[in-house]
Amino acid sequence: MIDKMTNYHMTPDEFRKQGKQMIDWIADYYENIEKYPVLSQVKSGDIKDQLPDSAPTESESFGQIMSDVNSIIMPGITHWQSPDFFAYFPANTSGPSILGDLLSSGLGVQGMLWATSPACTELETRVLDWLAEMLQLPEKFKSTSDGGAVIQDTASSAALSAVLAAREKKTNYQTNDSGCLGNLVAYISNQTHSSVEKAIKIAGIGKNNLRLIGVDENLAMRIDLLENAIQKDLQDGLIPFFVCATVGTTSTNAIDPLNEIGNICLKYQLWMHIDAAMSGTAAICPEYRYILDGIELADSFSFNPHKWMFTNFDCNCFFVADRSVLIKTLSILPEYLKNQATESGAVFDYRDWHIQLGRRFRSLKLWFVIRHYGVNGLRYHIQEHIRLAQQFAGWVRSSEEFDLVAPAPLNLVCFAHKNGNDFNRKLLETINSRGKMYFTHTVINGQFVLRMSIAQTNTNEEHVRQAWENIQETAKELMDVY
Ligand SMILES: *Cc1c(COP(=O)(O)O)cnc(C)c1O
């Protein structure tokens, strides 16, 4: 029963006790994670049906809550942190990141303005400048020049911020005042992530003013088709304003030609945004930095440490070459937020750099991760993931039964069994239903394609080797049945 003397609150002593047990719980989870089926095997409603219809009237003990976590919640978890997780894209965590996130929760800081916690803003600025250096970004993206960066929740929000800034720059900040006229046109490839289409819809550009540019045999945007589309729109009296180039598409890891796209943006005065949500991380390794060649021509760039850089969701880093455009687009200053530091102009107020007002102290976890691993530690793991993916691609290439169906430049391998779409679908479903590993699919030119995304924090050579054996054996088994 609760102790009324504590006002229902958890006492510091109780918090200390439960907190230590929680850390133990998480450490045990990581030690035993390979014992769980990677893909949750519950059916829809299974979890909800075990939860009461209404909230408890009286206080319940922490022990009761954790007991329900174990019995009700855990069966409904798909284990993204399992080293046998090869689905979608990584969403990896790490010890230092979890602890940084916990500290952020403990401090409970609301970092909307510099004045609401100077450390929250200044650490973020510094760590993002570190990242700019780690990725060898052009000077213009650093806070020490005209640009700078901000941590956003997701690559989707970053894309929306980029579209809005591009819109305002092109219309001389008139759209913010008068609304959209329906004559701005944006360009992406037919492989671009759906979040950019969503941004175009939200920003009032209109889906009819979004051109999906065709791709070449490597699934990268075709420059000739891009330029043709821009010229046609100009002839029709429309106003081209925005291109999104992708480094590492979600479907197949294709890399758009940044230099060529950048030159077209320069020629026609379009905003160039680069979405490198997962693959951007690879550029911290000098031998993979080439994937960002041409970024000098970009107006904005974003990547997600919450995918492949051992930093808990959410953590997107959004860089702009000219912060004044972004700030002028998104800044609103109501009376209740006015303060001397803001008025002096000497500080960043990050609420002017993204959609929402409130913000967590997310740079803590990023700072912890970069300091814990060091640049060399991060490089080591990225290089290792890419080595394992390349080894897997080699096995596929030399196999009689499977084909590689897209170039595998980094850590994602797209492949298919020679027996056709239905067989590949059955193969995927069978393997995932058995829980030993989890991987997903895409469709390329009508072909059902299997995807191995090799980037989970703790995946090593043995996991990848076992996955390949599992795939081959299950395929043999299904061949006997069919
Ligand atoms: C994952 C991904 C996104 C979406 O990321 P969020 O941070 O979840 O919005 C966008 N673009 C690419 C290329 C991605 O891989």
Side-chain angles (χ1 to χ4, degrees):
M1 276 315 291
I2 56 106
D3 175 3
K4 295 276 161 49
M5 296 302 289
T6 69
N7 235 345
Y8 292 91
H9 288 313
M10 187 178 263
T11 62
D13 272 347
E14 179 73 356
F15 178 78
R16 195 172 282 116
K17 183 175 142 219
Q18 299 301 345
K20 285 175 181 167
Q21 282 180 20
M22 182 65 88
I23 296 292
D24 280 342
W25 189 100
I26 296 171
D28 289 346
Y29 172 62
Y30 280 101
E31 270 177 1
N32 294 304
I33 198 162
E34 290 178 60
K35 294 181 186 148
Y36 295 89
V38 188
L39 173 65
S40 168
Q41 307 287 322
V42 301
K43 301 202 180 38
S44 69
D46 279 0
I47 307 298
K48 210 168 68 174
D49 290 347
Q50 296 179 72
L51 300 166
D53 290 338
S54 307
T57 309
E58 284 304 329
S59 169
E60 299 186 70
S61 78
F62 208 75
Q64 274 172 306
I65 300 171
M66 285 309 289
S67 150
D68 286 347
V69 167
N70 291 322
S71 63
I72 301 174
I73 302 300
M74 290 311 284
I77 295 294
T78 287
H79 301 278
W80 283 74
Q81 304 314 319
S82 165
D84 299 312
F85 182 97
F86 302 104
Y88 308 104
F89 44 78
N92 53 37
T93 70
S94 65
S97 169
I98 295 168
L99 295 175
D101 214 25
L102 181 61
L103 180 58
S104 167
S105 295
L107 292 173
V109 157
Q110 228 291 14
M112 56 194 176
L113 305 172
W114 177 88
T116 59
S117 256
C120 179
T121 293
E122 295 192 10
L123 179 65
E124 186 160 329
T125 306
R126 185 59 93 201
V127 169
L128 291 168
D129 279 343
W130 284 3
L131 266 177
E133 201 174 279
M134 288 160 65
L135 295 161
Q136 293 182 55
L137 299 187
E139 279 299 310
K140 66 179 182 178
F141 288 113
K142 290 191 183 167
S143 70
T144 43
S145 63
D146 290 340
V150 61
I151 298 180
Q152 301 222 1
D153 52 6
T154 58
S156 306
S157 299
L160 176 57
S161 306
V163 168
L164 294 172
R167 186 191 74 184
E168 291 313 301
K169 187 176 179 191
K170 186 51 109 182
T171 61
N172 202 16
Y173 305 92
Q174 289 307 301
T175 310
N176 263 350
D177 294 339
S178 321
C180 289
L181 298 178
N183 54 0
L184 295 173
V185 188
Y187 307 81
I188 62 178
S189 92
N190 58 26
Q191 300 294 307
T192 303
H193 191 269
S194 54
S195 54
V196 183
E197 178 182 328
K198 197 172 185 176
I200 291 295
K201 292 204 292 188
I202 298 170
I205 304 304
K207 223 175 107 181
N208 294 342
N209 289 337
L210 177 65
R211 307 282 178 257
L212 300 190
I213 306 299
V215 293
D216 64 17
E217 67 283 3
N218 292 331
L219 302 162
M221 190 190 286
R222 270 182 55 185
I223 298 309
D224 55 330
L225 297 181
L226 172 64
E227 187 157 22
N228 289 348
I230 292 173
Q231 285 175 349
K232 171 156 194 318
D233 286 323
L234 285 170
Q235 276 159 20
D236 291 347
L238 298 170
I239 306 173
F241 83 109
F242 176 86
V243 179
C244 176
T246 307
V247 173
T249 58
T250 313
S251 184
T252 68
N253 228 339
I255 299 174
D256 288 335
L258 302 187
N259 258 311
E260 288 86 342
I261 293 174
N263 281 321
I264 288 180
C265 288
L266 208 58
K267 181 168 163 191
Y268 297 96
Q269 296 296 301
L270 276 66
W271 182 288
M272 181 192 189
H273 176 64
I274 298 176
D275 174 8
M278 176 180 73
S279 302
T281 302
I284 63 176
C285 305
E287 68 273 41
Y288 302 116
R289 171 58 177 73
Y290 73 87
I291 62 174
L292 296 184
D293 284 354
I295 193 172
E296 314 73 58
L297 297 164
D299 295 285
S300 56
F301 160 76
S302 99
F303 89 109
N304 287 346
H306 71 227
K307 276 185 168 157
W308 195 15
M309 220 182 89
F310 317 109
T311 306
N312 284 57
F313 191 84
D314 50 356
C315 186
N316 164 274
C317 298
F318 178 55
F319 293 82
V320 285
D322 181 353
R323 62 177 177 263
S324 70
V325 178
L326 182 66
I327 293 170
K328 206 165 159 196
T329 299
L330 297 176
S331 156
I332 297 269
L333 188 58
E335 187 56 39
Y336 48 79
L337 290 180
K338 287 187 180 157
N339 67 86
Q340 272 184 1
T342 297
E343 271 153 36
S344 77
V347 300
F348 287 170
D349 290 319
Y350 277 130
R351 53 110 209 221
D352 291 335
W353 294 53
H354 52 40
I355 311 297
Q356 84 277 10
L357 170 64
R359 57 200 326 272
R360 301 182 73 230
F361 197 166
R362 283 177 294 213
S363 56
L364 271 178
K365 61 189 172 193
L366 195 52
W367 189 47
F368 278 33
V369 166
I370 296 172
R371 292 185 67 183
H372 170 87
Y373 285 93
V375 178
N376 277 342
L378 294 172
R379 283 181 182 149
Y380 168 79
H381 286 286
I382 300 305
Q383 285 161 342
E384 189 61 6
H385 285 149
I386 296 175
R387 183 184 74 80
L388 296 177
Q390 295 306 315
Q391 191 174 56
F392 186 93
W395 293 334
V396 172
R397 252 187 232 108
S398 52
S399 133
E400 306 271 299
E401 288 84 31
F402 291 88
D403 290 324
L404 204 62
V405 285
L410 301 166
N411 61 327
L412 176 69
V413 183
C414 293
F415 65 111
H417 194 280
K418 291 191 198 315
N419 269 7
N421 285 0
D422 289 346
F423 185 87
N424 279 291
R425 187 172 289 126
K426 186 78 197 158
L427 178 62
L428 182 78
E429 279 168 9
T430 306
I431 291 172
N432 287 340
S433 72
R434 291 178 180 172
K436 269 204 256 173
M437 61 178 278
Y438 179 33
F439 65 146
T440 50
H441 80 281
T442 186
V443 171
I444 306 174
N445 300 323
Q447 187 180 7
F448 187 91
V449 172
L450 306 169
R451 286 168 84 260
M452 277 289 282
S453 158
I454 299 174
Q456 207 289 318
T457 309
N458 295 307
T459 298
N460 64 31
E461 183 153 350
E462 203 41 41
H463 299 109
V464 178
R465 193 178 296 279
Q466 277 177 13
W468 177 233
E469 277 169 19
N470 187 0
I471 292 165
Q472 287 176 298
E473 278 164 21
T474 312
K476 279 211 188 74
E477 190 187 313
L478 290 178
M479 299 264 280
D480 294 342
V481 177
Y482 282 79

